[in-house]
Amino acid sequence: GFWRQYVGLDGAVIGIDGTQMGEIAQPALTTIGMGIGLRAEKSVELLLQQVADPGMPKQNVVLPTKLIVRESA
């Protein structure tokens, strides 16, 4: 027989970019918001530091995220 599953009822789907497309999708997509402004700011900061000091050691940077729960989870 044919077996049908429904997102949000039978399983969960999430995104990881927090874009507005997730809001208008049906069902609305649960996502991980990652603050693009903060990511861009930190990226430019690190790039400028590396240009000033090419021997600078690599860094791991952890930025805050936010779970935005919508209909898909």
Side-chain angles (χ1 to χ4, degrees), residues 1 4 15 22-23 25 29 32 42 47 49 51-52 54-55 57-58 61 68 71:
R4 176 175 273 176
E23 292 180 47
L29 187 62
I32 306 282
K42 190 62 177 176
L47 179 62
Q49 287 175 5
V51 167
K58 297 204 185 296
V61 177
I68 303 166
E71 298 167 337

Side-chain angles (χ1 to χ4, degrees), residues 1-69:
F2 182 76
W3 186 44
R4 176 175 273 176
Q5 291 188 330
Y6 296 92
V7 172
L9 296 175
D10 300 317
V13 175
I14 67 167
I16 193 159
D17 53 8
T19 64
Q20 289 182 329
M21 285 299 281
E23 292 180 47
I24 62 174
Q26 289 299 320
L29 187 62
T30 294
T31 190
I32 306 282
M34 297 175 60
I36 191 161
L38 182 59
R39 286 189 310 177
E41 182 180 323
K42 190 62 177 176
S43 296
V44 170
E45 177 185 318
L46 290 172
L47 179 62
L48 292 174
Q49 287 175 5
Q50 199 164 36
V51 167
D53 179 9
M56 178 180 122
K58 297 204 185 296
Q59 297 180 28
N60 289 325
V61 177
V62 178
L63 299 174
T65 59
K66 180 180 179 182
L67 178 63
I68 303 166
V69 178

